């Protein structure tokens, strides 16, 4: 795989939350990152119900961002007495936050203990697959730093749930490149599901072309559909 130096994210912290200077977009909805993670990505993938009593459950995320989807998933895993024995969370991020910005982004996080552990384990910005282990290895974060179109063909996994959380296709078209969708299909388990905040037509068509049944759900927080 071709690799290029990793350029850290440029983040602006304002009264309305963190913004990406690179893409001119919010990192999460104004009502809160955890609420977005729970409603869009966890509930959208039928979690925690779908993972209950499994030996292993694997999530693949496109766009690690501030880490809130991972932290919300980890918290849900902790809270579930029927959680899988192992949670594997694979996330691809082209522009990871610098450690100082990550600390600012997570300073008021609803899961402060988990956020502190993530900060302590935060890897250097090198174009590698970084393995971070928590809960004695029961929770594994595989953080792939680099371009999503480069990483997806290299990954070997059987993914149960996809969190498609890049910035909008209009602002970040590379994240939604047509090559992404067949790569997702290659990695998908037989009963895999996917959830995304985007309702762009090209995203829906791309998922359908990869074999996913596409359904639009009622939105919330000012968004009509998700």
């Amino acid at each position: 795989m071709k690799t290029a130096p990793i350029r850290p994210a440029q983040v602006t912290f304002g009264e309305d939350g963190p913004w990406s200077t690179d893409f001119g977009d919010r990192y999460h909805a104004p009502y809160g990152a955890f609420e977005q993670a729970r409603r869009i990505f966890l509930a959208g993938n039928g979690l925690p119900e779908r993972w209950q009593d499994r030996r292993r459950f694997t999530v693949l995320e496109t766009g690690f961002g501030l880490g809130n989807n991972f932290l919300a998933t980890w918290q849900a895993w902790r809270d579930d007495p029927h959680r899988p024995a192992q949670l594997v969370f694979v996330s691809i991020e082209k522009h990871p936050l610098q450690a100082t910005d990550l600390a600012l982004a997570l300073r008021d996080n609803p899961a402060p203990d988990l956020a502190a552990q993530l900060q302590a384990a935060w890897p250097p910005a090198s174009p590698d697959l970084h393995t971070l282990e928590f809960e004695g290895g029961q929770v594994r974060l595989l953080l792939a730093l680099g371009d999503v179109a480069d990483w997806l063909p290299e990954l070997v996994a059987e993914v149960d749930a996809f969190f498609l959380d890049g910035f909008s296709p209009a602002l970040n078209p590379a994240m939604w490149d047509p090559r992404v969708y067949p790569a997702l299909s290659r990695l998908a388990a037989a009963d895999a599901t996917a959830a995304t905040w985007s309702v762009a037509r090209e995203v829906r068509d791309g998922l359908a072309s990869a074999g996913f049944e596409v359904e639009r759900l009622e939105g919330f927080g000012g968004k009509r559909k998700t």
Side-chain angles (χ1 to χ4, degrees):
M1 182 181 74
K2 295 180 180 179
T3 59
I6 299 298
R7 182 169 60 82
Q10 302 298 308
V11 187
T12 300
F13 294 92
E15 293 182 359
D16 55 351
W19 280 73
S20 168
T21 305
D22 297 298
F23 298 104
D25 201 0
R26 297 177 187 272
Y27 271 96
H28 56 76
Y31 52 78
F34 255 51
E35 188 66 13
Q36 178 173 310
R38 288 165 177 157
R39 287 177 175 259
I40 298 296
F41 298 106
L42 288 167
N45 280 288
L47 301 175
E49 292 80 11
R50 283 185 57 233
W51 71 26
Q52 290 181 343
D53 300 318
R54 293 202 191 189
R55 183 180 65 83
R56 175 185 295 174
F57 193 89
T58 300
V59 175
L60 189 148
E61 175 186 53
T62 54
F64 188 77
L66 309 181
N68 283 293
N69 290 338
F70 168 65
L71 293 172
T73 305
W74 182 5
Q75 185 66 67
W77 178 90
R78 263 196 173 186
D79 292 342
D80 187 0
H82 297 285
R83 59 182 173 257
Q86 185 175 53
L87 173 65
V88 179
F89 196 101
V90 185
S91 188
I92 304 170
E93 177 56 63
K94 187 174 185 178
H95 300 299
L97 267 67
Q98 299 179 79
T100 52
D101 286 335
L102 184 68
L104 283 173
L106 299 180
R107 60 187 171 183
D108 297 319
N109 194 271
D113 173 49
L114 307 188
Q117 291 185 58
L118 175 61
Q119 291 175 62
W122 195 239
S126 62
D128 300 304
L129 183 63
H130 300 270
T131 301
L132 285 60
E133 294 197 342
F134 308 95
E135 308 284 358
Q138 289 183 279
V139 174
R140 299 182 73 206
L141 170 60
L142 304 179
L143 188 58
L145 299 185
D147 191 88
V148 66
D150 293 332
W151 268 112
L152 283 175
E154 298 292 323
L155 295 174
V156 177
E158 188 172 358
V159 177
D160 301 295
F162 293 93
F163 293 7
L164 307 181
D165 195 25
F167 293 106
S168 73
L171 299 174
N172 186 15
M175 181 67 81
W176 308 95
D177 186 283
R179 294 173 295 170
V180 166
Y181 302 104
L184 298 179
S185 179
R186 178 185 69 83
L187 294 167
D191 61 346
T193 58
T196 177
W197 179 247
S198 176
V199 293
R201 181 59 183 265
E202 63 254 48
V203 174
R204 290 183 280 131
D205 288 348
L207 288 170
S209 71
F212 290 94
E213 294 183 11
V214 179
E215 179 183 3
R216 297 179 68 181
L217 304 177
E218 289 300 318
F220 59 96
K223 190 176 180 70
R224 290 182 297 171
K225 293 285 186 180
T226 62

